Amino acid sequence: MNAVPTRRARRLIVSGVAGLAAVTLAGCASSSGGGGGDAGGPLVLYTWAASEGDQEQWADFIAGAKAEDPDLDISVEGPSFSDYWTKVKTRLSGSNPPCLLTTQAARAQELGDLLMPLDDLIEEAGFDTDEIDASMLAGMTVDGTIRAIPYDAEPIVLFYNVEAFQAAGLELPGTEYTRDQFISDAKALTDGDKKGLALAPGIFIPNAWSLADGVPAVTEDGELDLTNPDFVEQIQSFFDLVAVDQVAKAPEAADGSEVSQQAFTSGAVPMLIEGPWMYGSFAEAADFTLGVTIVPSTSGSAAAMTAGSGFGIAANCERPEEAFAAIEALTSLSVQEKQAEARGIVPARIEALPAWAEGKTEGAADVVEALLSDATPQRTTPTWNQVETLMTQYGVQGYRGELTAAEIMDTIQNSVAG
């Protein structure tokens, strides 16, 4: 879970399929007559629930929430992640619509009209938002009101092969990493066709690179701002990692994120920018020590783009108080600690962060904590799918030096705006 149109946040699948009994799969909940409106029926959580891994995750969430509130009754239904963003709109307009929804901070603006403002419910329940990562709450805010409570806060990081760095005589980066040093290290790790950094197509990682220097692709008002000279400069510097610095290969437009991930975990390429949710999968697949540092910034200071998801309430839900009580249980400290330990998600509750540190290499948790201290959510627009598609198409030419970032960003901005 790319985090917007494709799910880059591929969670770890844990054992315990018996927990699936807690989840009512797609179709069952809606036909039971217990959707969002019938008093006394189960609250339906409509989410991405097509895969076995997703089903297990929601079963774990619900089991943890029921430990907080034994009377809680939640069933789950929903399509695949890629289909969710269109089908949720149809589902809410049908009979017996669900009360509970999931969203990503990156997609909250897109689903804004479907999600109930939660501020009054937060105040009535005495829910302390100060205990939740501020960047993710900002990402879940639409038109000045909070529309979902996040359960994770994932700052994008740079993974690296510790042994490769040591063999090259390089200092291991930690909570600070300048771009000059990063490029120097990447060149030292590059040998002909063997490059220092693996890249995937799309705008997700270039956007994280830009936000490490504090430059967003979308304004705080929600306007697409791809032709902003500062953003163009950031994207050009990312393209130059291939075209000028020659420390990475240009990705192919048809490549999925698994291509760059495989290049990294196989040891063929020693660095990769990705989300911390991938730590467990990478550690299991790689036969080297996994290092974690910040996405390099010009100053070397830690600043992050965060990605993450949360639970919201459908705007047409007739049981909002009950639904919010369910969200409180689903995002409780104990649930987030268990999710961090079992699935490797970086929890949105600040107090639960130490649970993510369990089993990680030395310094990994320090990097995540440093990044969250200066984090910006990945803001997008309702047209972001088009942005992603066009960046995947034209970005390859940017990496190859055939088009400049200014030309590509202008093409995308005008195509989407038009």
Side-chain angles (χ1 to χ4, degrees):
M1 355 142 303
N2 188 301
V4 181
T6 59
R7 191 176 187 191
R8 298 182 69 92
R10 182 160 52 91
R11 307 302 188 195
L12 298 179
I13 297 176
V14 297
S15 59
V17 178
L20 289 174
V23 179
T24 304
L25 300 184
C28 299
S30 59
S31 62
S32 69
D38 293 348
L43 286 167
V44 174
L45 170 63
Y46 192 79
T47 183
W48 42 89
S51 73
E52 183 176 325
D54 288 335
Q55 293 161 16
E56 289 179 355
Q57 174 174 273
W58 303 129
D60 287 347
F61 263 105
I62 292 169
K66 285 180 70 69
E68 294 287 314
D69 180 3
D71 295 328
L72 195 63
D73 189 7
I74 298 176
S75 61
V76 177
E77 62 168 289
S80 67
F81 180 84
S82 59
D83 288 340
Y84 175 77
W85 307 100
T86 54
K87 290 189 175 181
V88 64
K89 300 168 186 177
T90 303
R91 180 66 183 90
L92 286 177
S93 63
S95 61
N96 198 24
C99 258
L100 295 171
L101 305 176
T102 50
T103 187
Q104 293 183 321
R107 307 292 288 259
Q109 301 294 324
E110 180 181 343
L111 299 188
D113 291 343
L114 306 181
L115 293 164
M116 179 182 295
L118 301 181
D119 299 69
D120 289 344
L121 291 166
I122 288 170
E123 183 176 358
E124 291 170 11
F127 185 87
D128 189 356
T129 56
D130 289 340
E131 296 179 355
I132 306 297
D133 177 73
S135 70
M136 285 305 301
L137 277 177
M140 298 295 191
T141 297
V142 179
D143 294 333
T145 59
I146 296 173
R147 302 301 175 97
I149 302 298
Y151 59 77
D152 66 339
E154 313 274 8
I156 308 307
V157 300
L158 173 68
F159 288 99
Y160 64 91
N161 181 326
V162 170
E163 282 78 13
F165 266 69
Q166 292 172 333
L170 303 175
E171 182 178 349
L172 300 181
T175 57
E176 296 183 354
Y177 203 22
T178 67
R179 289 191 178 168
D180 286 344
Q181 186 61 54
F182 162 72
I183 293 172
S184 175
D185 290 346
K187 287 181 176 179
L189 294 165
T190 295
D191 184 11
D193 288 338
K194 183 177 180 180
K195 302 299 184 179
L197 177 70
L199 295 177
I203 200 167
F204 183 70
I205 298 304
N207 198 17
W209 173 271
S210 185
L211 279 172
D213 259 9
V215 181
V218 176
T219 69
E220 291 187 5
D221 295 331
E223 298 296 324
L224 195 63
D225 200 22
L226 301 182
T227 55
N228 177 341
D230 291 336
F231 184 74
V232 170
E233 182 180 2
Q234 290 289 327
I235 299 303
Q236 187 62 59
S237 70
F238 198 74
F239 286 158
D240 286 348
L241 295 175
V242 176
V244 177
D245 302 311
Q246 299 182 1
V247 298
K249 292 180 181 179
E252 297 296 331
D255 288 350
S257 58
E258 67 277 0
V259 174
S260 57
Q261 292 168 3
Q262 173 64 27
F264 174 68
T265 57
S266 69
V269 181
M271 290 191 286
L272 175 70
I273 298 173
E274 254 293 1
W277 57 78
M278 294 303 302
Y279 187 102
S281 296
F282 288 171
E284 183 177 353
D287 60 1
F288 54 82
T289 305
L290 203 60
V292 178
T293 186
I294 69 171
V295 175
S297 62
T298 300
S299 68
S301 299
M305 180 181 87
T306 48
S309 303
F311 300 104
I313 301 174
N316 57 355
C317 174
E318 296 180 6
R319 301 156 62 185
E321 291 82 8
E322 191 178 342
F324 189 76
I327 290 176
E328 288 186 277
L330 288 165
T331 60
S332 65
L333 177 61
S334 64
V335 171
Q336 292 202 14
E337 286 177 333
K338 290 175 181 176
Q339 289 291 315
E341 292 169 359
R343 295 182 175 274
I345 70 169
V346 177
R349 280 191 175 274
I350 300 166
E351 192 177 348
L353 189 57
W356 185 85
E358 294 296 322
K360 307 299 187 298
T361 50
E362 183 178 358
D366 293 336
V367 168
V368 167
E369 187 172 354
L371 288 169
L372 288 178
S373 69
D374 186 8
T376 303
Q378 183 195 17
R379 291 190 178 92
T380 66
T381 66
T383 58
W384 196 253
N385 276 344
Q386 295 172 257
V387 174
E388 177 68 29
T389 299
L390 291 169
M391 181 63 170
T392 298
Q393 176 184 346
Y394 293 112
V396 174
Q397 294 173 276
Y399 290 117
R400 293 173 178 167
E402 298 166 356
L403 292 174
T404 66
E407 291 170 323
I408 293 173
M409 293 303 105
D410 187 65
T411 295
I412 297 175
Q413 179 84 30
N414 290 333
S415 296
V416 172

